[in-house]
Amino acid sequence: IRTWSNARGEGKLFSLELMDESGEIRCTGFTDAVDKFYNVVEQGQVYYVSRCSLKTANKQYTAIKNDYEMTINSDTTIVKCEDGDAVPQIKMDFTQISDLERCENNSFVDIMGIATDIGDVQSITARASGKQLTKREVKLQDKSGAAVSLTLWGNDADKFDTGLANPVIAVKAAKVSDFGGRSLSVSFSSTLLVNPDTAPSHELKGWYDTTGKDETVRQMSGSGGMGGGGMETAHKSFGEIKEANIQDKPEYFSNHAAIVFVKKDNCMYQACPSADCNKKVMQESATEYRCEKCDKLYPNFKYRLMLTVKLSDFTGNEWVTCFQETAEKLLGISADDLGKLKETNEAEFEQAMNKVNFTAYNFKIRARTETYMDESRLKCTALSVEPIDYITHSKRLIDEIKLLEG
């Protein structure tokens, strides 16, 4: 049941996806129909439905392949068919997880995969309505050599059986998001099935139990998705990012790259010392610094790093910005200590900056397109930096070679 509140009043609605041997259609009931029918109908049961209105389907709210949809009226009847033994199977046209990067944001797909990681239930507050919502992240893997994060909401999240060992999950009309790479969610118009009794489900489960569980997979979703062990960002080269022609939404990816140059000019600034402010301060006197945001004078400041480095992989180079924590981890020195070196010992400062040249790391990067003076350019920011795990890296390369070999 969904509720709404606007200038015209409040209300609620629910929807059904009805199917017979000829196809599928969406059926929606509002307010009084919710009270009358919501607790009457059950998924997987057969009903006689009469006297609904028919109208052109609003494709914004449904993924069903039908140009029309039904609306429950005051004189609509829904009666259970007691001799309805032959329940038609839900028809799904599955998309492989590796093909999700070709799907448009906010589109709908049918997906089936093995749940390799099930996160805990989380409680969040919706920004628009302020309501408390529950969610659960599940990582899905299929035979395509890729894995993706699937978000369950509400009852689907609360009632999910976490005791199942790597269940098969099938979702009809999962919603595609480009947040943090590619991710999926079970939306209001989705149908969630756990361990469906179908041939493709049994085949997928058998594959995973025998060989699939030992395969290295490419992660399609960003690291922020999982509530448990976490998920890695999809690995992409700078060449692939440039060819992706990023538009409105940022792209999140990881890359093994070497540092070939560090910009020393304007790599740090004097910032407000308060814990929740990082704005640049202006020196008012020999012992006073003003923060315009806080509108206060302080006797000191803190250094903040804004390091720009040129990274190189086998496809080319790219300028990447590293902010405070990432820059400190990369350089192996705190911003305050580096600032003191810059003030007192220029040679040691140069040495601290240069020692990272021609070293390689695994960077997690956010890339987006910015336009300035009618010229578009790629802007990359490092979100984290870690030593390269060469065992995992080698396994990924082997799997990519196998995919090329077919």
Side-chain angles (χ1 to χ4, degrees):
I1 298 175
R2 298 188 69 177
T3 60
W4 77 85
S5 177
N6 54 35
R8 293 182 294 178
E10 299 180 348
K12 54 188 176 181
L13 66 89
F14 81 110
S15 67
L16 307 168
E17 292 182 10
L18 303 175
M19 179 177 62
D20 62 13
E21 66 276 2
S22 67
E24 301 164 297
I25 193 168
R26 184 172 187 251
C27 180
T28 304
F30 297 88
T31 313
D32 292 340
V34 176
D35 299 329
K36 187 175 180 180
F37 293 115
Y38 182 76
N39 291 320
V40 172
V41 294
E42 298 178 47
Q43 183 174 319
Q45 299 299 313
V46 181
Y47 296 89
Y48 294 109
V49 182
S50 305
R51 297 184 180 180
C52 288
S53 298
L54 195 66
K55 66 176 183 177
T56 303
N58 186 341
K59 297 297 185 179
Q60 181 181 355
Y61 300 108
T62 179
I64 292 179
K65 296 176 182 178
N66 196 319
D67 293 332
Y68 298 93
E69 61 184 32
M70 298 161 59
T71 303
I72 297 175
N73 302 315
S74 58
D75 57 347
T76 295
T77 60
I78 301 178
V79 179
K80 187 174 182 179
C81 177
E82 299 297 342
D83 58 350
D85 295 328
V87 179
Q89 292 286 336
I90 296 177
K91 299 174 183 177
M92 297 194 191
D93 183 15
F94 293 117
T95 297
Q96 289 193 322
I97 293 176
S98 62
D99 291 333
L100 289 175
E101 57 190 358
R102 301 189 186 99
C103 299
E104 294 184 5
N105 186 39
N106 293 325
S107 62
F108 294 92
V109 297
D110 298 342
I111 203 83
M112 183 167 68
I114 294 286
T116 59
D117 192 5
I118 301 171
D120 297 327
V121 172
Q122 302 175 28
S123 180
I124 64 171
T125 302
R127 284 180 292 182
S129 63
K131 292 183 178 179
Q132 286 292 115
L133 304 174
T134 55
K135 59 179 284 191
R136 186 194 297 271
E137 304 287 344
V138 178
K139 183 167 127 184
L140 297 184
Q141 175 186 341
D142 66 7
K143 293 183 180 180
S144 68
V148 69
S149 176
L150 172 72
T151 304
L152 310 180
W153 297 94
N155 286 335
D156 289 330
D158 294 330
K159 297 180 180 179
F160 190 88
D161 188 355
T162 58
L164 297 174
N166 301 119
V168 176
I169 294 181
V171 183
K172 184 176 180 61
K175 192 170 186 179
V176 178
S177 170
D178 60 6
F179 177 74
R182 280 293 185 271
S183 58
L184 300 171
S185 62
V186 177
S187 69
F188 180 62
S189 58
S190 303
T191 301
L192 173 70
L193 300 176
V194 179
N195 284 333
D197 188 14
T198 63
S201 172
H202 298 314
E203 181 184 349
L204 184 63
K205 179 64 173 174
W207 162 81
Y208 182 79
D209 289 341
T210 53
T211 61
K213 61 185 177 183
D214 298 320
E215 293 185 7
T216 301
V217 295
R218 180 165 61 102
Q219 305 291 347
M220 307 292 292
S221 305
S223 58
M226 295 302 298
M231 295 178 65
E232 296 181 359
T233 311
H235 186 94
K236 295 185 179 181
S237 67
F238 290 132
E240 289 175 309
I241 290 299
K242 290 174 182 177
E243 291 175 359
N245 192 25
I246 300 169
Q247 297 297 326
D248 299 329
K249 296 287 186 178
E251 183 83 13
Y252 296 81
F253 67 103
S254 67
N255 191 3
H256 295 167
I259 302 163
V260 296
F261 187 78
V262 179
K263 279 188 178 180
K264 303 177 183 67
D265 297 335
N266 302 317
C267 67
M268 61 175 59
Y269 65 94
Q270 296 172 344
C272 177
S274 65
D276 55 351
C277 179
N278 295 319
K279 291 295 183 180
K280 186 176 181 179
V281 295
M282 302 299 293
Q283 189 167 1
E284 295 280 313
S285 67
T287 58
E288 290 182 316
Y289 301 86
R290 170 172 288 278
C291 175
E292 294 294 339
K293 180 183 177 182
C294 300
D295 194 22
K296 289 183 180 180
L297 284 173
Y298 294 97
N300 54 14
F301 60 85
K302 63 184 178 185
Y303 273 111
R304 294 285 300 179
L305 281 164
M306 193 168 60
L307 189 68
T308 302
V309 297
K310 178 171 278 191
L311 301 184
S312 177
D313 66 10
F314 68 97
T315 64
N317 303 323
E318 192 62 45
W319 288 107
V320 177
T321 302
C322 303
F323 290 101
Q324 186 78 351
E325 290 79 8
T326 305
E328 288 180 331
K329 189 170 184 178
L330 188 66
L331 296 174
I333 187 172
S334 70
D336 285 332
D337 288 344
L338 189 65
K340 290 174 184 176
L341 285 182
K342 185 174 177 62
E343 293 172 357
T344 60
N345 194 323
E346 188 68 24
E348 288 193 18
F349 170 77
E350 290 278 340
Q351 183 179 358
M353 298 289 280
N354 289 333
K355 72 177 183 179
V356 295
N357 281 329
F358 308 109
T359 58
Y361 295 89
N362 180 37
F363 292 89
K364 289 187 178 179
I365 298 171
R366 180 183 65 234
R368 62 184 179 186
T369 300
E370 291 190 346
T371 303
Y372 178 72
M373 299 292 288
D374 296 327
E375 182 179 344
S376 295
R377 63 176 183 171
L378 191 66
K379 183 176 178 62
C380 293
T381 302
L383 304 179
S384 69
V385 56
E386 299 290 343
I388 296 174
D389 183 343
Y390 286 100
I391 295 177
T392 302
H393 178 52
S394 298
K395 287 181 179 178
R396 181 181 60 79
L397 293 177
I398 291 171
D399 288 338
E400 289 181 0
I401 291 170
K402 289 179 180 178
L403 288 174
L404 291 173
E405 292 175 342

